[in-house]
Amino acid sequence: MGRVTQRRKVHKYVLDGSPKALEFPVRHREDVLAVEEPLEIRLGQLSFSVTMRTPGDDFDLVAGFLVSEGIIWTSEQLVSLRFCAGEDENGVQTFNVVEVQLRPDVTVPSIGRHIYTSSSCGICGTDSVESVQKSSHYSPAADPLSIDAELLASLPGLLRKSQRLFEDTGGVHAAGLFRIQDDGGAELLCLREDVGRHNAVDKVVGWALREGLLPLRGTVLQVSGRASFELVQKAALAGIPVLAAVSAPSSLAVELAEASGLTLAGFSRGTSLNIYAGDHRIVRPVAQAPAGARS
């Protein structure tokens, strides 16, 4: 997979008490790690942000990041993306700087984020709480999508089957965009993996923007981790009506989902899930009469 993984020698300690472990408690082996590197985003000549990410799908990441920042919301506003000169100590191109050219009528912030955005933070470096609460050009509340509860609960399993980088490393997050079909099925439109959960979502949203698919009506965004405020915000800004996570949401994520008209599911793990906001979109299972009961 090129620069997305790296092999490292490790000392593995086996402490299960087995005869083999007692004889050889320390073993030497190679492990596969997910790569994490900085990416500088430039708007023209302005250095806007530096984020830590897993290399790959960088143009999607940048495009999605600009949607999440409320700077653009259509593919026509994005004129071009290109890698700039950037070399390591050996003079090899790092592909760690992307320059963006936006349409002249797009309002560009006068200053950028002057700190690193870590792979665990999607809104670090914004100037104020008010700047985080951006208004969306798309309204998830107006989306008439309904989805069967059992289908929604099955999406983490479908996502997991396609997580190649996680299979190799066990160290990345995933975001998958599903189109809910008229026959009650779900089509995986796009999957992205990254050491940062917000990066994975930005890569999905950026792909959709570059394909001219925004707003993402009739879709579900399934994520592998928890549902934070930032992920709900990213989904709302892309016009996604349903966000589902395998872990818990935060209180602010639930509040924003309710305010945005977005359906938010948590602890979605195959046989159960919790709906924290937007339960009106969920088609409930039909209750089954106990075996032997009289009709």
Side-chain angles (χ1 to χ4, degrees):
M1 283 191 172
R3 293 172 61 237
V4 300
T5 61
Q6 182 183 97
R7 291 187 175 273
R8 301 283 292 187
K9 292 182 178 180
V10 300
H11 303 283
K12 182 174 182 177
Y13 288 76
V14 182
L15 309 172
D16 59 9
S18 65
K20 188 175 181 180
L22 293 174
E23 184 178 1
F24 302 104
V26 182
R27 304 170 191 175
H28 306 285
R29 54 167 289 187
E30 274 195 340
D31 200 7
V32 180
L33 306 179
V35 170
E36 183 176 29
E37 292 182 356
L39 178 70
E40 181 183 356
I41 301 171
R42 295 178 183 172
L43 301 183
Q45 300 301 309
L46 171 69
S47 181
F48 183 66
S49 181
V50 177
T51 186
M52 302 301 296
R53 96 300 187 197
T54 298
D57 303 303
D58 287 333
F59 288 173
D60 288 346
L61 171 59
V62 172
F65 179 78
L66 295 178
V67 173
S68 297
E69 290 292 300
I71 297 173
I72 61 175
W73 53 93
T74 69
S75 58
E76 292 78 11
Q77 294 171 305
L78 183 61
V79 175
S80 66
L81 295 159
R82 72 180 184 94
F83 287 108
C84 298
E87 299 179 348
D88 62 17
E89 64 275 9
N90 299 316
V92 178
Q93 167 63 266
T94 62
F95 297 97
N96 283 339
V97 181
V98 172
E99 182 181 288
V100 184
Q101 292 297 329
L102 300 175
R103 205 169 60 187
D105 63 327
V106 175
T107 301
V108 178
S110 58
I111 60 172
R113 294 185 177 188
H114 295 300
I115 67 168
Y116 280 91
T117 301
S118 74
S119 56
S120 62
C121 177
I123 57 175
C124 302
T126 50
D127 299 320
S128 66
V129 172
E130 289 74 19
S131 66
V132 171
Q133 298 173 332
K134 304 175 182 70
S135 60
S136 177
H137 291 268
Y138 309 119
S139 174
D143 196 307
L145 174 68
S146 62
I147 181 171
D148 184 85
E150 292 181 355
L151 176 62
L152 183 57
S154 74
L155 297 186
L158 297 178
L159 185 71
R160 179 67 182 83
K161 291 178 181 178
S162 300
Q163 291 177 235
R164 293 177 56 198
L165 186 55
F166 181 83
E167 186 70 26
D168 290 339
T169 67
V172 293
H173 293 276
L177 183 70
F178 290 88
R179 175 81 65 190
I180 304 306
Q181 301 170 320
D182 293 337
D183 62 3
E187 176 190 5
L188 179 59
L189 300 178
C190 178
L191 181 144
R192 294 291 185 264
E193 295 180 278
D194 198 280
V195 290
R197 66 181 185 277
H198 67 93
N199 287 339
V201 171
D202 278 343
K203 287 178 177 181
V204 168
V205 172
W207 168 84
L209 176 100
R210 298 175 69 209
E211 292 292 321
L213 298 178
L214 296 189
L216 287 167
R217 298 188 178 95
T219 63
V220 176
L221 180 64
Q222 176 68 56
V223 296
S224 60
R226 64 185 179 88
S228 61
F229 173 90
E230 60 196 356
L231 296 195
V232 173
Q233 178 184 253
K234 291 174 187 295
L237 285 165
I240 298 171
V242 180
L243 171 64
V246 300
S247 192
S250 68
S251 62
L252 196 56
V254 174
E255 291 176 20
L256 181 60
E258 290 176 336
S260 303
L262 183 144
T263 297
L264 177 61
F267 292 106
S268 181
R269 299 177 180 179
T271 58
S272 66
L273 75 167
N274 296 342
I275 302 299
Y276 293 87
D279 183 63
H280 65 281
R281 288 196 176 94
I282 307 302
V283 178
R284 302 184 180 188
V286 177
Q288 299 293 323
R294 295 181 179 180
S295 58

